[in-house]
Each structure stands twice: as structure tokens, then as C-alpha cells.
Amino acid sequence: MGRYTIRRLLQMIPVIIGTTFLIYAMVWALPGDPFAGKCGDKPCPPAYVAEMRDKFNLDDPLLVQYGKYMVNLLQGNFGESFSGRTVWSDLALAFPVTFRLALIAIIIEIVIGISAGILAALNRGGFWDNLVLISTLIVISIPVFVIGFLAQFTFGIKLGWFPPTVGPNGDVYFGVFESP
């Protein structure tokens, strides 16, 4: 069992490297000039573009850029968001809310899962067993983001159990969010 676990952990290394490289290439190399729309309708000043290209190592070859990016990640330097805040500060703001939501979701899953399992076990081969089986297959088959959107729309907008959050530009965000 220990050898299997170590082998699986070692197999994660090329997957992580490949995934991060593909994402890095799609964000920085494929779209053309990543700072083209950064300044709105007007083109960015050449000094700003030069500073950003130097800051993000965009004048280096793609593999060198990626290598520097990975070194920063391994050192815990996740960089800055486009708003100028560090990614660590954004993560620190989001962590308490995310932790609370995850804890509530786990508790709900445990209650529903154990209840459904007991109900299915008591009625083996019967209506409740088949209902639990079919509903489980449906929930597993539908992507989580679709279920989340439908649940937020149903419980937040249609039923009014949770107030939708309105953003600064008037867009409605579903669910319960705390603003930073």
C-alpha cells in the first residue's frame, strides 16, 4: 500500500508540471499581447508595457518564463493580481468564507448521504433504493458548476431563501457572498 501511494504521488509531478505549463502558455503566450486591453480603449503607454514585460519576464523564451514562474510558485510567491494586491492577501480574504461554505457543505453531504444510505439499505431493491441510486447517478453525472448555478438560481432567486448580491455595475451574483 505504501509503495502504491508513493508511486501515485510521484505520478502527480508530471501532471502538475504539464497542467501548469499549459495554463501558463494559454494565459501568457497564446493571446498575443497580454496587456493590449489593460488600459481600456486607449493603447497602454510604451513605458508601462515595457515595465510589465520586464516584470513578468515576457521577453524571455516561453520555457525560461515558465521556469521563473515555477521557481516563484515553489518559493510561495504567487505574485499580484491585476488590481495590484498580492494573491496571498486575496486568498486570506477568501479563505474564511470558503472554509465556512466547505464545512457547511460537508455537514449537509454527511446528513443526506447517511440518511439516503440507511433508507436505501432498509428498502433494498425497492422504490427508495432505486430512487437513491438514480438521484445519486444524476448528481454525479451533472457538473458541479451546473448544479451550483441551478441551486443558487432556485434558492436565491425563485424561492428567495438567500438574497442575491448585486455587484458595483448592477450585475446580480447568485448566492450569499461577503464583500471584501
Side-chain angles (χ1 to χ4, degrees), residues 60-72:
D60 295 335
L62 182 62
L63 288 176
V64 173
Q65 293 175 35
Y66 174 72
K68 291 178 179 179
Y69 168 74
M70 287 303 290
V71 167
N72 284 336

Side-chain angles (χ1 to χ4, degrees), residues 148-149 151-154 156-157 162-165 171-177:
F149 176 78
Q152 290 175 4
F153 180 74
T154 302
I157 299 297
F162 304 106
T165 303
D171 292 339
V172 173
Y173 300 99
F174 300 112
V176 180
F177 295 99

Side-chain angles (χ1 to χ4, degrees), residues 1-11:
M1 183 65 175
R3 290 176 60 187
Y4 174 77
T5 304
I6 291 172
R7 191 175 75 228
R8 295 298 287 193
L9 288 172
L10 290 174
Q11 288 174 348

Side-chain angles (χ1 to χ4, degrees), residues 37-72:
K38 180 76 169 128
C39 298
D41 294 335
K42 299 177 184 177
C44 292
Y48 172 79
V49 173
E51 178 186 343
M52 290 295 119
R53 292 189 69 77
D54 182 53
K55 180 178 181 179
F56 293 108
N57 306 308
L58 296 180
D59 293 327
D60 295 335
L62 182 62
L63 288 176
V64 173
Q65 293 175 35
Y66 174 72
K68 291 178 179 179
Y69 168 74
M70 287 303 290
V71 167
N72 284 336

Side-chain angles (χ1 to χ4, degrees), residues 24-171:
Y24 185 86
M26 286 189 290
V27 169
W28 293 107
L30 295 180
D33 184 12
F35 302 105
K38 180 76 169 128
C39 298
D41 294 335
K42 299 177 184 177
C44 292
Y48 172 79
V49 173
E51 178 186 343
M52 290 295 119
R53 292 189 69 77
D54 182 53
K55 180 178 181 179
F56 293 108
N57 306 308
L58 296 180
D59 293 327
D60 295 335
L62 182 62
L63 288 176
V64 173
Q65 293 175 35
Y66 174 72
K68 291 178 179 179
Y69 168 74
M70 287 303 290
V71 167
N72 284 336
L73 281 184
L74 293 173
Q75 292 174 348
N77 179 8
F78 294 157
E80 296 178 355
S81 64
F82 281 122
S83 63
R85 295 184 308 215
T86 64
V87 173
W88 274 114
S89 64
D90 287 348
L91 289 174
L93 281 173
F95 181 76
V97 175
T98 303
F99 182 75
R100 222 175 322 146
L101 288 173
L103 188 63
I104 291 170
I106 289 171
I107 291 169
I108 290 171
E109 288 174 6
I110 288 172
V111 169
I112 291 174
I114 290 175
S115 301
I118 291 171
L119 190 62
L122 291 175
N123 300 298
R124 186 169 176 218
F127 172 76
W128 290 109
D129 186 25
N130 290 326
L131 181 68
V132 168
L133 176 67
I134 290 170
S135 61
T136 303
L137 289 174
I138 289 172
V139 169
I140 289 173
S141 301
I142 299 173
V144 174
F145 63 89
V146 173
I147 292 174
F149 176 78
L150 291 175
Q152 290 175 4
F153 180 74
T154 302
F155 299 123
I157 299 297
K158 292 296 182 182
L159 297 175
W161 293 359
F162 304 106
T165 303
V166 179
N169 57 356
D171 292 339

